[in-house]
Amino acid sequence: MESFGLLFLLTMVLEKPIVIDCRDHLHGRLASIVAKELLAGQKVVLVRCEEMVISGSLVRNQTKYAQFRAKHMNTNPARGPFHFKSPARIVWRTIRGMVHQKTARGQAAIGRLSTFEGIPHPYDKMKRKVIPAALRVVRLKPGRNYCKLGDLANNVGWKHKELVDRLEDKRRAKSEAFFQKKKAAAALKAKAEEAAAGELAKVNETLAAAGY
């Protein structure tokens, strides 16, 4: 009975898949927080991975990535390790290294993670969250160098930066049109409520008395 109660408590803290907007988050700090959530059983979706930032200048990070790409199996490089070039896969690989992926628990955890460049459907219609503890403006000292993951990926061989930028421009234009339409509808509703306030006064009093 006690174990059932504990299991119930553990399952209660989990939410629906959390969608995190990676824009202007520090790469390592966000990855470590997400890894903890995945191991706890939470499903996480990371969008706009190309907008994530890494501390240090672009030249410095390119040099580090070049050293990383030189690491391969001596006799048969086709066996790995494999070096991803897209921002979403770079982030995915970073988090994979934080969840003990060679165990069953780690494999289950990394299976709960999804990473994307841009904000594809259906996540463009869902509420997106940020992680304050991983934001660049909070964690990185002003004046320090940093670079975007998308720029780094583009310089090491990722070929879809222009495509993602184009699709994001279309998404932003569509989102702005939707927001203006929603704002106009809200203004009309407020105006109608104000016009009918006198007529609805008695009704509102009755509803308030009933606890509504």
Side-chain angles (χ1 to χ4, degrees), residues 9 38 69 120 187:
L9 284 171
L38 294 170
R69 285 191 69 184

Side-chain angles (χ1 to χ4, degrees), residues 149-169:
L149 190 57
D151 294 335
L152 174 63
N154 187 53
N155 288 2
V156 298
W158 182 48
K159 294 181 172 60
H160 304 293
K161 187 175 189 297
E162 289 181 10
L163 172 62
V164 170
D165 289 344
R166 197 161 64 244
L167 290 171
E168 278 295 280
D169 288 340

Side-chain angles (χ1 to χ4, degrees), residues 27-38:
H27 182 206
R29 286 186 179 273
L30 180 62
S32 61
I33 291 166
V34 169
K36 278 282 190 184
E37 290 296 314
L38 294 170

Side-chain angles (χ1 to χ4, degrees), residues 68-69 71-73 77 79-83 93:
F68 169 61
R69 285 191 69 184
K71 291 178 169 62
H72 57 77
M73 185 176 176
R79 289 193 173 188
F82 304 108
H83 315 290
R93 193 182 195 277

Side-chain angles (χ1 to χ4, degrees), residues 21-101:
D21 187 350
C22 296
R23 181 178 172 273
D24 219 30
H25 285 69
L26 285 170
H27 182 206
R29 286 186 179 273
L30 180 62
S32 61
I33 291 166
V34 169
K36 278 282 190 184
E37 290 296 314
L38 294 170
L39 287 167
Q42 177 66 55
K43 287 185 179 178
V44 180
V45 179
L46 301 180
V47 295
R48 288 212 282 188
C49 289
E50 77 282 0
E51 294 287 329
M52 195 181 283
V53 298
I54 307 177
S55 59
S57 68
L58 183 60
V59 173
R60 176 183 171 83
N61 282 303
Q62 270 182 246
T63 306
K64 286 168 73 175
Y65 197 84
Q67 292 171 344
F68 169 61
R69 285 191 69 184
K71 291 178 169 62
H72 57 77
M73 185 176 176
N74 192 22
T75 53
N76 187 359
R79 289 193 173 188
F82 304 108
H83 315 290
F84 300 116
K85 295 174 186 173
S86 77
R89 293 302 277 175
I90 290 172
V91 173
W92 180 87
R93 193 182 195 277
T94 303
I95 294 169
R96 186 187 70 176
M98 297 180 179
V99 295
H100 302 287
Q101 54 103 11

Side-chain angles (χ1 to χ4, degrees), residues 101-114:
Q101 54 103 11
K102 291 189 178 181
T103 65
R105 180 176 178 236
Q107 283 292 308
I110 202 66
R112 298 184 196 105
L113 175 68
S114 300

